[in-house]
Amino acid sequence: NAGVMQNPRHLVRRRGQEARLRCSPVKGHSHVYWYRQLPEEGLKFMVYLQKENIIDESGMPKERFSAEFPKEGPSILRIQQVVRGDSAAYFCASSQGPGNTIYFGEGSWLTVV
Amino acid sequence: AQKITQTQPGMFVQEKEAVTLDCTYDTSDPSYGLFWYKQPSSGEMIFLIYQGSYDQQNATEGRYSLNFQKARKSANLVISASQLGDSAMYFCAMREDVNTGRRALTFGSGTRLQVQP
């Protein structure tokens, strides 16, 4: 763990509720990535952000999912009206620049009941 | 077509022996980077090693080395002197630097390594 902080580590939500996952990148890193990992699978890219900008959201579901990385504060991945299929581990990663090594946080495990 | 292929869902190795985890990739991008990450049962993703497509020498980091064969598009991870703590999932990943422009990583499906005493 190179300093990417994610919270909460574990989150339980009922179907229809909202889930908010937070990510503070390594100090000095301005590039943030969100990935989703289903059980026994590799990580799937969701969205790539820089401060106040979404650079690439090609991996984000078209509905219910949104992400932001404000000028101040952590990056937020927001899932509205959660469904059972949203249950997964959500990893945040950061890098100093687009060509630098990407470091991951410890993940946030979302369980939808 | 799969961008990153890890053909070994599971591997066993005896403690203190070396093990090679396979990874092949597919890209038309002239500039790319290859990464290996370790995911222990606790779930975090731990960066292990990086190889750039223009690097002349194979990357090494302690007991980890990357056997980079560019013509064959393979980037196998070699772990020497395996330890019980090496038991984990291992993911190979690629970042395509030019054509995609997005700089994000594409991951393989992973290999579960179990080190036996």
Side-chain angles (χ1 to χ4, degrees), chain A residues 21-103:
Chain A
L21 308 177
R22 294 174 187 77
C23 169
S24 296
V26 173
K27 188 175 181 180
H29 287 192
S30 58
H31 298 250
V32 165
Y33 312 79
W34 284 94
Y35 289 80
R36 176 164 62 178
Q37 184 181 31
L38 297 173
E40 302 301 317
E41 293 187 12
L43 278 68
K44 296 288 193 283
F45 168 76
M46 298 181 75
V47 62
Y48 164 36
L49 312 104
Q50 293 181 41
K51 285 286 187 181
E52 300 183 278
N53 288 306
I54 296 175
I55 306 302
D56 181 356
E57 57 182 348
S58 59
M60 287 278 270
K62 293 288 184 272
E63 298 176 346
R64 302 187 298 107
F65 285 73
S66 62
E68 63 176 10
F69 188 19
K71 187 176 180 181
E72 300 290 339
S75 175
I76 306 287
L77 179 67
R78 182 182 179 203
I79 311 172
Q80 295 178 288
Q81 298 175 336
V82 296
V83 301
R84 288 237 170 96
D86 297 333
S87 295
Y90 292 84
F91 285 90
C92 173
S94 74
S95 66
Q96 191 172 36
N100 296 96
T101 297
I102 297 174
Y103 294 94

Side-chain angles (χ1 to χ4, degrees), chain B residues 5-114:
Chain B
T5 302
Q6 295 180 254
T7 57
Q8 307 152 314
M11 290 278 287
F12 289 91
V13 65
Q14 290 293 124
E15 197 177 5
K16 300 181 185 177
E17 291 186 351
V19 62
T20 297
L21 306 183
D22 294 342
C23 173
T24 57
Y25 59 91
D26 181 27
T27 181
S28 58
D29 203 316
S31 176
Y32 53 90
L34 297 156
F35 299 76
W36 277 91
Y37 289 87
K38 172 185 177 181
Q39 187 176 40
S41 57
S42 51
E44 68 268 35
M45 294 289 288
I46 302 168
F47 166 73
L48 295 179
I49 197 167
Y50 166 79
Q51 179 86 43
S53 58
Y54 292 118
D55 293 344
Q56 294 295 316
Q57 293 189 332
N58 287 346
T60 60
E61 290 285 348
R63 293 186 299 111
Y64 304 109
S65 61
L66 202 152
N67 184 3
F68 181 46
Q69 298 187 43
K70 195 170 183 177
R72 298 177 63 179
K73 294 189 175 179
S74 74
N76 298 340
L77 177 70
V78 180
I79 306 174
S80 62
S82 297
Q83 301 172 356
L84 295 177
D86 293 335
S87 294
M89 281 290 284
Y90 288 81
F91 291 98
C92 179
M94 175 174 65
R95 181 185 61 218
E96 296 166 289
D97 292 339
V98 176
N99 287 345
T100 65
R102 74 177 187 202
R103 317 294 188 179
L105 296 173
T106 302
F107 281 82
S109 55
T111 295
R112 184 173 297 281
L113 176 66
Q114 294 190 47

